[in-house]
Amino acid sequence: MAVRTSVSSQGGRGKGIGLSLAVGSALAFGGSGVAAKPLIEAGLDPLHVVWLRVTGAALVMLPLAVRHRALVRSRPALLAGFGLLGVAGVQAFYFAAISRIPVGVALLVEYLAPALVLGWVRFVQRRPVTRAAALGVVLAVGGLACVVEIWAGLGFDALGLLLALAAACCQVGYFVLSDQGSDCGDDVPDPLGVIAYGLLVGAVVLTVVARPWGMDWSVLAHTAGMNGSEVPAWLLLAWIVLLATVVAYVTGVVSVRRLSPQVAGVVACLEAVIATVLAWVLLGEHLSAPQIAGGAVVLLGAFIAQSSAPAKGSPGPVASGGPERELSARGTAA
């Protein structure tokens, strides 16, 4: 009895630590757009901000890449897919979107990804989905209509919304890729190694696309406006690289190891709330009452879709394309 009590206590502490790490990951990820937008408004191109973020994080994670160098031979497709979609694609489109529309709106649009994954599972893979998951999709789409105020003829920048939707589509591609490579028994690649190489691949791709040699580096030596206050640009960059990328990914991965992917995914829904609140307080981006209500419905739909996902390998209908949170608590790398 004492042994069982001890094991149960340790398991409870482990889950408590995992939950704290998952919340910390959501907090870290949620601040990326808030820190990036002032740099974009100060004169940096969104692609250049993404390049700085990914390249800086790749350099920090380089020791992990060296440690897991065997992944280059054993999982080249997974590393390339994560780098192209989960890192370069998601972040480039997300940062481009927030240069045109509010941070909270861009992230809420990106939260259509779980619904899009279910569409892939149902109509491309022709696998059944649970009713709860379908309800989550309906709620997410309906809430999004309120967020973008569709009754007003899409008052937001149409291109900005399309860019946010493209970020969601990149998330779907990563989710599907993760699912296809997940049934490997004991040969599952180390998530931290995948993240490290994904950042390296993303940095290489973004170097070609963003052409940082044409960047106005002097912006980083000055300040950037944040809702009337001036903040050193280098401090915002450090926030994006260290907190919103390195810390966010690492805490997310560790939380998934202590929790289930589904639980970590549900907690990650806090990211949109955190990003919206931070944008409201630090950037002065106020949302209307219908938009706030719609955002709550989007998160409710994402919550239902995530929490209705069965454990890996369980029989019956599925609620998502697979363990999309196994490599990262967010998977979206926003």
Side-chain angles (χ1 to χ4, degrees):
M1 180 65 70
V3 173
R4 290 184 179 181
T5 302
S6 177
V7 171
S8 176
S9 177
Q10 290 178 0
R13 285 197 298 270
K15 289 183 178 180
I17 294 173
L19 185 60
S20 299
L21 290 171
V23 172
S25 179
L27 281 167
F29 272 125
S32 65
V34 175
K37 191 158 189 173
L39 293 177
I40 295 172
E41 293 178 343
L44 287 180
D45 186 273
L47 275 178
H48 290 159
V49 178
V50 176
W51 179 84
L52 287 168
R53 176 187 188 182
V54 173
T55 303
L59 292 175
V60 174
M61 300 284 283
L62 189 58
L64 280 173
V66 174
R67 179 180 178 183
H68 297 286
R69 54 188 177 276
L71 286 173
V72 177
R73 297 189 302 273
S74 62
R75 298 300 173 83
L78 178 61
L79 301 184
F82 182 75
L84 288 171
L85 298 175
V87 175
V90 172
Q91 295 188 26
F93 284 123
Y94 173 65
F95 277 20
I98 66 173
S99 70
R100 309 182 69 95
I101 60 178
V103 170
V105 173
L107 197 53
L108 288 169
V109 173
E110 198 175 314
Y111 260 80
L112 277 181
L116 295 176
V117 169
L118 290 173
W120 172 274
V121 171
R122 181 65 183 88
F123 298 108
V124 178
Q125 296 183 338
R126 298 187 181 279
R127 296 162 60 191
V129 298
T130 64
R131 291 182 179 180
L135 174 62
V137 172
V138 173
L139 288 174
V141 174
L144 183 64
C146 295
V147 171
V148 302
E149 296 184 330
I150 196 170
W151 56 84
L154 291 178
F156 284 111
D157 186 291
L159 179 57
L161 293 175
L162 287 175
L163 290 168
L165 184 59
C169 290
C170 285
Q171 275 193 315
V172 173
Y174 166 62
F175 290 169
V176 172
L177 176 67
S178 297
D179 184 47
Q180 291 176 346
S182 61
D183 297 320
C184 305
D186 295 331
D187 193 29
V188 176
D190 189 284
L192 290 175
V194 174
I195 290 172
Y197 275 103
L199 289 168
L200 286 173
V201 171
V204 171
V205 172
L206 288 169
T207 299
V208 176
V209 175
R211 300 180 179 181
W213 47 86
M215 181 172 56
D216 185 3
W217 292 88
S218 64
V219 173
L220 298 177
H222 298 89
T223 59
M226 182 177 278
N227 195 24
S229 301
E230 294 296 318
V231 181
W234 66 265
L235 183 60
L236 293 173
L237 180 59
W239 177 355
I240 295 171
V241 172
L242 299 178
L243 289 179
T245 307
V246 176
V247 172
Y249 271 120
V250 172
T251 55
V253 167
V254 176
S255 73
V256 172
R257 289 183 173 182
R258 293 178 176 269
L259 304 170
S260 69
Q262 288 75 30
V263 173
V266 169
V267 176
C269 291
L270 289 173
E271 179 189 341
V273 177
I274 292 165
T276 301
V277 172
L278 287 177
W280 194 317
V281 174
L282 299 179
L283 301 181
E285 294 184 347
H286 301 281
L287 300 183
S288 65
Q291 288 173 324
I292 295 174
V297 174
V298 170
L299 294 178
L300 177 61
F303 176 90
I304 292 175
Q306 290 281 1
S307 59
S308 62
K312 186 67 177 176
S314 61
V318 296
S320 69
E324 61 267 23
R325 302 272 175 182
E326 287 187 6
L327 295 181
S328 139
R330 181 175 187 272
T332 73

